[in-house]
């Protein structure tokens, strides 16, 4: 044990044109430390320093907050190296070395942890600094900044105390700005600061630079566990076990007169991606002045200054020589890292120093442009460009979004169920949404939850809010399919339908009041908010084209209306992977016939009603086949329990009875008979086809007749894939296959033509996955219905789980909502088993996924690994799926190398 500890290296030096570490050592040195090392090795002007590793931080926490035994020696050695390079000495009264002490984790955690600047100053070294710089005022200003920062970060003293002292001085002197204070004034402030520290802590402000240094190192390690840092880590999935590194670096001063400055820069514009240096700087200032917002920073370039109509000189004009060197350095950095860089720098009396570089954070629009431009410039390959864009971020480009600079008056937060933002008047019923929406009004439908009956109202609304329901609730699934923004499960909203209002966070919102929803964050806001319209620029098309060249998985869409199908094709869908036929039954023109069918007392009665529905169904399919022009179309036969088509309340029953001439008492009786305790596990899916084969026969007939009709028009022959839902047993599948083939044969014989069609099943039940071999005897394709498969594997309701899943996520039992991102271990294992067992019986069985997970990048990566043939998702997620599929394919290939 002791032996290995002796050998462990805790400190890595950089500066003077070389470094112990490099950019690949982010895990050990943190992002900042690794890049400082890399910049030093590149010969760029970096103030020398050293990095204490993240392993030292972990050791500190694993060993009761104590340092590794030989860390002190290694730090002393690091300091000696810095002294050698700078020619200064730590604690030396005449030529003092001052350092900064900063945190630096593997992933950037801006502002979450602590920093101390100007460390090494004391009553003696401040005099040395005054002499060296020839500026006594600067030296004492630095000293008072150090006392304040150190006391706050390390000694845990409130910074207000220091501000009050400074204000007292200024009042007494009748001086209003800090710059009005002279060297003597700052000396007096320093004396008062020190006295206040001594009063507060009962000991003087530490004068020993070594004591100061270790105090600061301890504070940085401690800040890894502060509440802010912990919260940030939870939000961004950063493990606690990573730890933070500590960077100790010789100070350079941007506040040593008008030849000095400090600033930040991006090598390209981080919001638009434009290939132009972007950033700002301040003459005669220290880093924190730029962020503190006391003085307004100036643009870096002349052209940016002119565009902003700014009178004060840009860096290009104020410090032309340093600017030329800076431009050269940042160009080198971008070429070296082959990505847009986010840079911090300081100019000390005409000399440039680089303090940080990292890959810059950017908007989706900028990410696309930068990736495409870098590939066009030959700096990266097309495949690398494809890997550079976060698929989920494409959402930002496909829907209107809220202008980030616009204030938000949030009154409730729910689940971000369907992306995009919308503003409109509140309505509480689907009928009203349809009426107002149909006449061109922008409305937001606010409901407790939605049901299939609401579908037309949802379509007419600009956005949907539900108080209940999870990420795969009806509202969420349907809204995503339609591309309507939706916030589901906003439990803070209490709807009072009678009063025509809802309450949330003490606000009362009445019908027709305007609200805005953000389906990407789950926020519900009062009033209207400024929006940015989507823009599918040329870069989007270019990158998607590159993605399509490398992906293996096909991408289809879940769509049942002509509009959805057209949208899907516009986004590049290669077929329909799921057409849910029940949605077609809710049209007011057909719902009467559907109810008649449900109420019928015998097969003959049912068949008579079905005969009325048949031509309408056929028309639906003709339309879809025409839009898809020969691409595969998977049509799922009726799935939900029939009672969903019946009116529920007595009022509704009376209305329906009156409108249709159906017997109200019979309607009520039938609805009561059909009531199920667990409808999701009840008389639904292919169980309907087994009980009432005539329903499925009608649907198969409509599909095949439609295909014949389209083919007869000389259009590309459709390839219908007829899909049976919720199958559990081989015998069930056999029955359904026979029903399908028999009906199809009949139709084809009547028409005297041949067209191809396929018969398959959804895999939505654990038994179906386990006995997939039995199903494959009769099914030509499987489509994994992972919404139901997740529900039935966990025994958790997809409609109600929103209420308690949060507790599971907070307690770390689930990483993510399993209805959003596939549970790869459990549900994923069932998929693997089904694929294997299905292929063993039928090697060419076609495999796809059509649950909501088909549009989730992590789940798509899993589908690539398992070797599925396609994923199917809502139309607006098709581009996301195309990009995610390309990244998954590249990832798999890299692994094989
Ligand atoms: C599924 O269960 O995953 C599926 C796609 O079907 P639905 O959502 O219509 O139940
Ligand atoms: Mg299902």
């Amino acid at each position: 044990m002791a032996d290995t500890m002796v050998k462990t290296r805790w400190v890595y030096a950089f500066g003077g044109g070389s470094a112990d570490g490099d950019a690949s050592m982010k895990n050990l040195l943190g992002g900042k430390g690794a890049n400082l090392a890399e910049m030093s090795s590149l010969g760029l002007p970096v103030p020398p320093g050293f990095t204490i590793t993240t392993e030292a931080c972990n050791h500190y926490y694993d060993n009761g907050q104590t340092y590794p035994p030989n860390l002190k020696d290694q730090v002393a050695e690091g300091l000696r190296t810095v002294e050698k390079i700078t020619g200064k000495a730590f604690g030396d009264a005449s030529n003092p070395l001052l350092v900064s002490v900063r945190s630096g984790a593997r992933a950037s955690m801006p502002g979450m942890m602590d920093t101390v600047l100007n460390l090494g100053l004391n009553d003696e070294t401040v005099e040395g600094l005054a002499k060296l710089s020839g500026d006594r005022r600067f030296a004492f200003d630095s000293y008072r900044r150090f006392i304040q920062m150190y006391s706050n970060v390390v000694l845990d003293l409130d910074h207000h105390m220091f501000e009050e002292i400074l204000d007292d001085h200024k009042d007494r002197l009748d001086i209003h700005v800090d710059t009005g204070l002279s060297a003597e004034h700052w000396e007096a402030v320093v004396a008062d600061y020190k006295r206040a520290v001594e009063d507060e802590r009962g000991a003087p402000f530490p004068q020993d630079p070594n004591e100061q240094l270790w105090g600061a190192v301890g504070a940085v390690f401690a800040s890894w566990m502060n509440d802010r840092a912990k919260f940030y880590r939870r939000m961004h999935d950063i493990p606690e076990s990573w730890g933070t590194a500590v960077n100790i670096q010789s100070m350079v001063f941007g506040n040593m007169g008008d030849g000095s400055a400090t600033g930040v820069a991006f090598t390209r514009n981080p919001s638009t991606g434009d290939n132009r240096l972007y950033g700002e700087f301040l003459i005669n200032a220290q880093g924190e002045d730029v962020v503190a917002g006391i003085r307004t920073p100036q643009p870096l370039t002349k052209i940016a200054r002119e565009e902003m109509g700014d009178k004060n000189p840009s860096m290009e004009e104020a410090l032309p020589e340093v600017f030329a060197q800076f431009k050269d350095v940042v160009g080198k950095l971008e070429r070296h890292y082959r990505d847009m860089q986010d840079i911090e720098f300081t100019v000390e009396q005409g000399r440039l120093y680089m303090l940080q570089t990292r890959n810059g954070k950017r908007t989706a629009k900028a990410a696309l442009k930068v990736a495409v431009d870098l590939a066009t410039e030959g700096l990266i390959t097309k495949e690398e460009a494809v890997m550079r864009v976060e698929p989920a971020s494409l959402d930002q480009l496909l829907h209107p979004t809220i202008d980030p600079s616009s204030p938000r008056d949030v009154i409730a937060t729910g689940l971000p169920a369907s992306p995009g933002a919308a503003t409109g008047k509140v309505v509480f019923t689907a009928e009203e949404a349809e009426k107002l929406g149909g006449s061109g009004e922008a409305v937001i439908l606010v409901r407790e939850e939605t049901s299939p009956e609401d579908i037309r109202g949802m379509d007419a609304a600009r956005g949907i809010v539900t108080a209940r329901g999870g990420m795969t609730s009806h509202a969420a699934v349907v809204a995503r399919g339609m591309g309507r923004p939706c916030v589901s499960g906003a439990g803070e909203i209490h709807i009072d339908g009678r009063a025509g209002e809802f309450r949330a966070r003490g606000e009362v919102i009445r019908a027709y009041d305007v609200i805005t929803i953000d389906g990407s964050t789950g926020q519900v806001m009062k009033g209207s908010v400024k929006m940015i319209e989507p823009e599918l620029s040329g870069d989007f098309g270019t990158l998607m084209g590159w993605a399509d060249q490398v992906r293996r998985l096909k991408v289809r869409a879940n769509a049942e209306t002509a509009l959805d199908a057209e949208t899907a094709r516009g986004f590049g869908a290669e077929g329909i992977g799921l057409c849910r036929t029940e949605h077609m039954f809710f049209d007011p023109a057909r719902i009467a016939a559907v109810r008649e069918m449900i109420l019928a007392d015998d097969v003959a009665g049912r068949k008579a009603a079905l005969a009325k529905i048949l031509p309408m169904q056929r028309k639906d399919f003709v339309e879809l086949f025409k839009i898809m022009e020969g691409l595969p179309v998977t049509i799922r036969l009726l799935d939900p329990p029939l009672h969903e088509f019946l009116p529920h309340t007595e009022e509704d029953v009376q209305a329906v009875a009156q409108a249709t001439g159906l017997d109200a008492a019979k309607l009520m009786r039938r609805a009561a008979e059909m009531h199920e305790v667990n409808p999701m596990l009840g008389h639904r899916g292919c169980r309907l086809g087994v009980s009432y084969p005539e329903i499925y026969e009608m649907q198969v007939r409509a599909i095949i007749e439609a295909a014949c009709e389209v083919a007869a028009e000389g259009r590309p022959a459709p390839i219908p894939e007829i899909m049976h839902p919720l199958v559990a047993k081989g015998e069930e599948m056999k029955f359904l296959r026979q029903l399908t083939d028999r009906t199809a044969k009949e139709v084809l014989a009547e028409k005297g033509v041949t067209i191809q069609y396929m018969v398959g099943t959804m895999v939505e039940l654990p038994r179906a996955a386990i006995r997939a071999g039995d199903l494959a005897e009769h099914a030509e394709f499987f489509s994994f219905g992972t919404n139901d498969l997740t529900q039935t594997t966990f025994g958790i309701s997809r409609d109600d789980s929103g209420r308690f899943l949060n507790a599971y996520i907070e307690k770390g039992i689930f990483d993510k909502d399993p209805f959003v991102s596939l549970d790869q271990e459990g549900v994923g294992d069932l998929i693997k088993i089904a694929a294997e067992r299905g292929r063993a019986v039928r090697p060419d069985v076609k495999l796809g996924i059509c649950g909501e997970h088909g549009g989730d990048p992590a789940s798509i990566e899993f589908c690539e690994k398992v070797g599925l043939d396609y994923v199917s998702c809502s139309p607006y997620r098709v581009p996301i799926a195309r990009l995610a599929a390309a990244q998954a394919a590249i990832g798999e290939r890299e692994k094989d190398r």
Side-chain angles (χ1 to χ4, degrees), residues 258-296:
D258 286 347
S260 303
T262 188
V264 293
F266 285 87
T267 53
R268 299 180 189 226
N269 185 313
S271 34
T272 63
D274 278 346
N275 185 7
R276 264 170 46 176
L277 186 61
Y278 175 93
E280 39 191 35
F281 84 118
L282 269 176
I283 295 256
N284 196 9
Q286 269 200 324
E288 72 254 33
D289 301 331
V290 179
V291 259
I294 303 161
R295 285 162 59 194
T296 311

Side-chain angles (χ1 to χ4, degrees), residues 97-272:
L97 167 69
L98 304 183
V99 296
S100 63
V101 179
R102 295 177 209 256
S103 61
R106 210 191 282 193
S108 109
M109 295 170 58
M112 295 301 127
M113 289 179 293
D114 290 334
T115 290
V116 180
L117 303 178
N118 304 336
L119 189 139
L121 278 174
N122 59 23
D123 295 350
E124 288 179 358
T125 55
V126 70
E127 297 292 348
L129 182 65
K131 269 200 209 98
L132 274 185
S133 63
D135 188 344
R136 193 171 177 78
R137 184 188 176 283
F138 154 75
F140 277 91
D141 180 18
S142 301
Y143 192 17
R144 69 93 195 176
R145 284 177 193 246
F146 170 56
I147 295 173
Q148 178 165 355
M149 208 171 202
Y150 189 91
S151 301
N152 182 232
V153 167
V154 184
L155 307 178
D156 210 16
L157 301 180
D158 192 353
H159 61 94
H160 289 120
M161 178 174 93
F162 299 98
E163 276 147 27
E164 276 166 25
I165 294 173
L166 181 55
D167 285 346
D168 281 353
H169 276 262
K170 288 205 279 197
D171 285 351
R172 239 179 299 131
L173 297 163
D174 200 20
I175 293 175
H176 303 291
V177 285
D178 290 4
T179 43
L181 296 175
S182 67
E184 289 67 37
H185 294 148
W186 284 125
E187 267 192 79
V189 171
V190 164
D192 280 355
Y193 274 12
K194 284 196 306 182
R195 207 167 303 125
V197 171
E198 187 158 358
D199 284 351
E200 281 292 315
R201 72 187 286 250
F205 183 82
Q207 290 288 311
D208 174 1
N210 269 307
E211 183 189 340
Q212 293 173 357
L213 181 65
W214 287 101
V217 170
V220 170
F221 279 167
S223 68
W224 179 247
M225 291 297 184
N226 73 27
D227 287 344
R228 263 178 312 163
K230 280 189 191 162
F231 181 76
Y232 188 91
R233 283 202 291 274
R234 256 209 315 275
M235 248 172 60
H236 295 270
D237 278 342
I238 299 174
E240 199 164 282
S241 62
W242 282 4
T244 182
V246 185
N247 296 294
I248 296 166
Q249 190 175 22
S250 55
M251 283 294 300
V252 285
F253 296 96
N255 53 346
M256 281 178 111
D258 286 347
S260 303
T262 188
V264 293
F266 285 87
T267 53
R268 299 180 189 226
N269 185 313
S271 34
T272 63

Side-chain angles (χ1 to χ4, degrees), residues 708-717:
C708 292
E709 189 177 321
V710 172
E713 287 178 19
R715 294 169 184 273

Side-chain angles (χ1 to χ4, degrees), residues 437-448:
S439 60
E441 284 261 27
V443 297
I444 305 282
L445 178 61
V446 180
R447 304 276 292 153
E448 204 65 54

Side-chain angles (χ1 to χ4, degrees), residues 472 477 558 578 580 582-583 636 639 680 684 723 725-726 762-764 783-790 798 849-853:
T472 49
V477 172
N558 296 354
L578 174 64
R580 294 175 162 109
E582 59 271 17
H583 289 180
R636 180 182 71 188
D639 185 39
M680 270 297 182
R684 58 166 289 211
M723 180 155 81
L726 218 76
M762 297 192 72
V763 174
E764 302 180 276
S783 179
F784 292 97
T786 44
N787 301 333
D788 274 314
L789 191 57
T790 301
R798 59 197 267 193
I849 180 173
C850 65
E852 286 301 299
H853 306 90

Side-chain angles (χ1 to χ4, degrees), residues 789-812:
L789 191 57
T790 301
Q791 165 166 272
T792 51
T793 300
F794 278 104
I796 287 180
S797 159
R798 59 197 267 193
D799 289 319
D800 305 313
S801 58
R803 288 187 217 159
F804 60 87
L805 270 186
N806 264 350
Y808 271 73
I809 291 167
E810 270 163 26
K811 296 191 165 66

